[in-house]
Amino acid sequence: HQDILQPITTNYAPWTHQPVCTEHLDAIDSPLCVYTNATFSNGRGISIFTTPQIAEEVAELLPLQDPAILASHGVNPDEGPWHVRELPGKGMGVLAKHDLHRGDRITAYTPCLLAHMENVLSTPEREKFWRIAIDQLPCHSKEHYLSLATIYGDPSVVNQDVVKANAFEMQLGGQMHLAVFPETSRMNHACSPNAQYYLEPSLLAHFVHAARDISKDEEITISYAPPMQPHRARQHYLLDAFHFTCTCSRCRNGKASDMALEEIDNLQSSLGDWSADSTASVKNAEALIRKYKEEGLDAFLDTAYGHAALTYNAVGSVRGTEKYAKLAAEAVTFKYGPSAAELDMWRELESKPQRHSSWRRRKSIG
Ligand SMILES: C[S@@+](CC[C@H](N)C(=O)[O-])C[C@H]1O[C@@H](n2cnc3c(N)ncnc32)[C@H](O)[C@@H]1O
């Protein structure tokens, strides 16, 4: 009975349970196994359904090697500047506990489930393994997971249903995985969201920051759908993937929002045209930023700020370049995280505008 009484052993370290595996799957040339660390991050726990090779890579990541690393990055706090409430027509939602400023961190959490994206297993087979993954989590995490929203409401596939309604995609070991972050899962969608998220796979974490100022008791929203797609395409995507009809401000005025997108598109084409007869101008760059803000697209301003930085540099304005390269870097950080590849370029442009290939390239245009 010793084994039964002590199911948690160190034999599989850092995993606390013996991995449970499928047979070899030819399509991915590997089995997939459930790996659980039930003590992860002060007993929050984490279960990963992935290949043995990727599990080895994950086991080497800092959060599994050094228990203090997540806390030092402010990940998995006990509480944050938000609370959950029932909202008319949306189920639960997340509201701001107090006023928030653009750039403030809202949530930072690790997932309780990470599952390799595949279409090899049958639905019942996948459910069997994902159920083991969730069952092996500490009680409070399992309960939290099973309390989340579902799409179909079919209890026989509840573990997949929760993933369908709540998962984000996270790249691990070169393969896409689905990740469920229970706290962040309560955030609803808006096509003009006031918050922006990014994933940091090296920390196994998901971060959300305010994309503009948010008032106390205002709902905190993120975008589930590509925000620059036309109204019909966004609606279609949300209905198909999440089974709801979006009634956000941009969707209530679908025609106006499509016209604004067209204007944005035209301005971006003009600013991206480096030929001699380009209509690019700093006036157009400023108009583009205004248009993004009017549409509530603050979370996606990196593109507009980037155009502005290059346009100001192209007419030899160091001040304009510095201002917008800095804002572009900041917007990129909110959207892709502090290790985003584009950051170096904007920082370089901000510190040495004259060295950039765009310097005075349109010196005749004002
Ligand atoms: C990730 S969950 C968001 C939290 C969810 N409202 C809850 O009660 O847990 C996704 C589900 O929330 C609902 N939802 C999200 N955004 C919505 C919106 N803008 N309008 C209506 N329902 C929404 C949909 O049912 C969707 O499938």
Side-chain angles (χ1 to χ4, degrees), residues 209-232:
H209 291 88
R212 56 177 173 264
D213 292 351
I214 301 175
S215 311
K216 179 178 187 288
D217 291 332
E218 189 180 334
E219 185 182 10
I220 298 170
T221 52
I222 53 175
S223 178
Y224 301 0
M228 309 311 276
Q229 293 241 324
H231 172 237
R232 270 174 75 95

Side-chain angles (χ1 to χ4, degrees), residues 37-58:
N37 182 323
T39 57
F40 180 71
S41 192
N42 296 323
R44 177 181 174 85
I46 188 167
S47 277
I48 309 176
F49 183 53
T50 195
T51 64
Q53 195 190 333
I54 295 176
E56 264 183 48
E57 289 178 37
V58 173

Side-chain angles (χ1 to χ4, degrees), residues 89-93 148-151 165-166 184-190 224 242-248:
K90 293 185 180 180
M92 308 289 239
L148 296 176
T150 52
I151 301 282
N166 298 282
T184 318
S185 284
R186 296 299 188 189
M187 282 184 197
N188 287 314
H189 161 90
Y224 301 0
F242 295 97
H243 293 207
F244 73 91
T245 300
C246 186
T247 55
C248 78

